[in-house]
């Protein structure tokens, strides 16, 4: 073999090794035969790049070949990710291709979540894609609302402190200091008062003991009185009181009725009128007796007969006046 032939063979081997090594470093082994190619569409890829690994059940089965923007106007800004699967493991078109991050430091990768129901996926199919939020993304999403609340709290606190600063001017601070001084004086007075009360109690301790003893005696006497009251037959007292009230009611009913002399005297007008007329006649008789005693009483030492009564003019006038008065009284 000539030297030139040897040199050409070495160059060919180097080129083949370079091509195989380059593809191998890119994640595609030329010796494994033809790989299947799939497409997935995402709105964001979260740090996914070309040559990112593609895993299936945790096993690396391929790599990302290309990432391009979707040129369709309705989906402008969406990203189409093309990747190869070098394994002959079969899964359906319902399988999900998920972007995930193995750890916080490493970049994102693709994980095929296989589904075995339905039609088997073939090279060139577009699969359903989704993105798994990383730890930091999840923490960020949870911290965003908290950050907004903290900002609102800070704003409110700033407003509160501004109001406090407006309130706590020199006059207010001086007033607070004065109030504190007055409070200290009040506390001092309270201490003095308490000390005085303690001294008073100590000085009158014997009197307090006597007072407490008297109070105890009074309580004991009250207890005895209470015991005595409990021994009294309250039912008999109540029964007698009821009988007394019944008797009084009966007496009142008889007084209100026409039975008996007292009831007739109270309720019968005729009896009252008769008594009044008799009283007037008795009054007239007494008056006539005073004026004409000789008409009723005759006294003679020699047995002289009494003269018949003949009223004179003055007596006639007096009798007429009496008659008029009697008529007026009757009216």
């Amino acid at each position: 073999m000539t030297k030139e032939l040897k040199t050409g063979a070495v160059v060919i081997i180097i080129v083949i090794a370079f091509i195989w090594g380059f593809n191998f470093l890119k994640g595609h082994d030329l010796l494994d035969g033809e790989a299947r190619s799939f497409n997935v569409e995402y709105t964001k890829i979260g740090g996914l790049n070309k040559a990112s690994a593609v895993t299936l059940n945790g096993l690396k089965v391929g790599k990302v070949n290309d990432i391009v923007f979707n040129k369709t106007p309705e989906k402008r800004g969406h990203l189409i990710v093309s990747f190869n699967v070098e394994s002959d493991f079969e899964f359906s078109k319902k399988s999900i291709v998920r972007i995930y991050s193995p750890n916080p430091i490493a970049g994102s990768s693709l994980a095929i979540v296989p589904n075995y129901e339905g039609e088997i996926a073939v090279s060139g199919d577009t699969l359903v894609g989704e993105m798994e939020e990383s730890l930091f993304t999840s923490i960020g999403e949870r911290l965003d609302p908290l950050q907004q609340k903290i900002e609102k709290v800070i704003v409110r606190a700033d407003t509160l402190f501004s109001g406090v600063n407006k309130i706590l001017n020199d006059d207010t601070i001086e007033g607070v200091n004065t109030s504190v001084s007055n409070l200290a004086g009040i506390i001092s007075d309270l201490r003095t008062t308490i000390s005085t009360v303690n001294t008073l109690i100590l000085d009158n301790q014997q009197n307090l003991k006597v007072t407490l003893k008297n109070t105890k005696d009074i309580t004991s006497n009250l207890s005895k009185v209470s015991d005595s009251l409990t021994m009294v037959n309250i039912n008999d007292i109540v029964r007698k009181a009821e009988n007394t009230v019944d008797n009084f009611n009966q007496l009142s009913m008889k007084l209100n009725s026409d039975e008996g002399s007292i009831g007739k005297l109270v309720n019968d007008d005729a009896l009252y009128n008769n008594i009044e007329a008799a009283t007037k006649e008795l009054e007239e008789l007494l008056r006539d007796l005073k004026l004409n005693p000789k008409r009723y009483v005759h006294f003679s030492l020699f047995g002289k007969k009494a003269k018949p009564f003949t009223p004179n003019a003055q007596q006639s006038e007096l009798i007429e006046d009496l008659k008029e008065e009697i008529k007026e009284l009757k009216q």
Side-chain angles (χ1 to χ4, degrees):
M1 180 179 295
T2 61
K3 185 178 180 180
E4 290 80 4
L5 184 60
K6 291 179 180 180
T7 302
V10 171
V11 171
I12 293 172
I13 293 172
I14 292 173
V15 171
I16 293 172
F18 176 77
I19 294 172
W20 178 85
F22 180 75
N23 285 278
F24 181 80
L25 291 175
K26 290 177 63 178
H28 178 63
D29 192 356
L30 297 176
L31 301 178
D32 288 340
E34 186 178 357
R36 292 175 296 171
S37 178
F38 299 96
N39 298 322
V40 188
E41 184 174 357
Y42 299 98
T43 56
K44 56 182 179 178
I45 59 175
L48 189 71
N49 52 33
K50 293 181 180 180
S52 294
V54 179
T55 61
L56 196 154
N57 292 338
L59 177 65
K60 181 179 178 182
V61 294
K63 67 179 183 64
V64 175
N65 290 331
D66 196 9
I67 301 174
V68 296
F69 283 102
N70 194 334
K71 296 181 180 180
T72 305
E74 293 81 5
K75 296 183 179 182
R76 182 175 301 173
H78 290 200
L79 296 167
I80 298 176
V81 177
S82 299
F83 64 93
N84 293 333
V85 176
E86 298 171 355
S87 173
D88 58 355
F89 185 84
E90 294 183 349
F91 48 86
S92 70
K93 293 182 179 180
K94 295 181 181 180
S95 300
I96 297 174
V97 181
R98 181 179 299 161
I99 299 176
Y100 75 99
S101 179
N103 54 69
I105 300 175
S108 298
S109 301
L110 290 181
I112 300 174
V113 181
N115 190 322
Y116 308 107
E117 297 179 357
E119 186 179 354
I120 299 299
V122 296
S123 181
D125 289 340
T126 300
L127 303 178
V128 179
E130 67 178 26
M131 184 171 181
E132 182 183 83
E133 300 295 341
S134 63
L135 176 62
F136 293 107
T137 305
S138 178
I139 293 174
E141 290 179 353
R142 286 171 173 76
L143 287 178
D144 287 340
L146 182 61
Q147 180 182 358
Q148 295 177 0
K149 293 181 180 179
I150 292 174
E151 289 177 353
K152 292 181 181 179
V153 171
I154 292 174
V155 172
R156 292 178 182 176
D158 183 61
T159 304
L160 177 62
F161 288 138
S162 299
V164 171
N165 289 330
K166 291 181 181 178
I167 294 173
L168 294 178
N169 50 23
D170 294 338
D171 296 335
T172 306
I173 294 173
E174 184 177 358
V176 171
N177 293 330
T178 304
S179 300
V180 172
S181 300
N182 294 333
L183 182 60
I186 292 171
I187 293 173
S188 178
D189 294 338
L190 285 174
R191 289 178 178 174
T192 304
T193 303
I194 292 171
S195 178
T196 304
V197 170
N198 291 332
T199 304
L200 181 63
I201 292 173
L202 292 175
D203 293 339
N204 295 275
Q205 188 172 4
Q206 187 64 33
N207 295 331
L208 288 174
K209 289 181 179 179
V210 174
T211 303
L212 291 175
K213 184 177 181 302
N214 294 334
T215 304
K216 185 177 179 180
D217 294 338
I218 293 171
T219 305
S220 178
N221 294 332
L222 288 176
S223 177
K224 292 178 180 179
V225 171
S226 177
D227 294 338
S228 301
L229 290 176
T230 56
M231 296 176 65
V232 174
N233 195 346
I234 303 298
N235 294 328
D236 291 342
I237 296 174
V238 173
R239 190 179 301 108
K240 292 179 181 179
E242 290 178 351
N243 293 331
T244 303
V245 173
D246 292 337
N247 294 332
F248 182 78
N249 290 333
Q250 293 177 3
L251 177 62
S252 177
M253 291 175 63
K254 289 181 179 180
L255 289 177
N256 291 327
S257 65
D258 294 337
E259 298 178 359
S261 58
I262 297 178
K264 290 181 179 180
L265 180 63
V266 173
N267 299 312
D268 193 357
D269 295 336
L271 179 60
Y272 172 77
N273 293 331
N274 292 333
I275 293 174
E276 184 180 8
T279 303
K280 290 180 180 179
E281 290 177 0
L282 181 61
E283 182 181 0
E284 292 175 1
L285 179 60
L286 292 174
R287 184 181 297 173
D288 185 57
L289 181 62
K290 289 180 180 180
L291 295 176
N292 303 295
K294 293 180 179 182
R295 181 187 299 178
Y296 304 97
V297 179
H298 176 71
F299 178 77
S300 176
L301 295 175
F302 303 101
K304 187 178 180 179
K305 295 181 179 180
K307 295 181 179 180
F309 174 74
T310 55
N312 53 21
Q314 184 178 1
Q315 290 175 344
S316 299
E317 292 178 0
L318 181 60
I319 291 171
E320 292 297 329
D321 292 338
L322 289 173
K323 290 181 179 179
E324 292 294 332
E325 290 180 359
I326 291 171
K327 287 182 181 180
E328 292 178 357
L329 290 174
K330 289 183 177 179
Q331 291 177 355

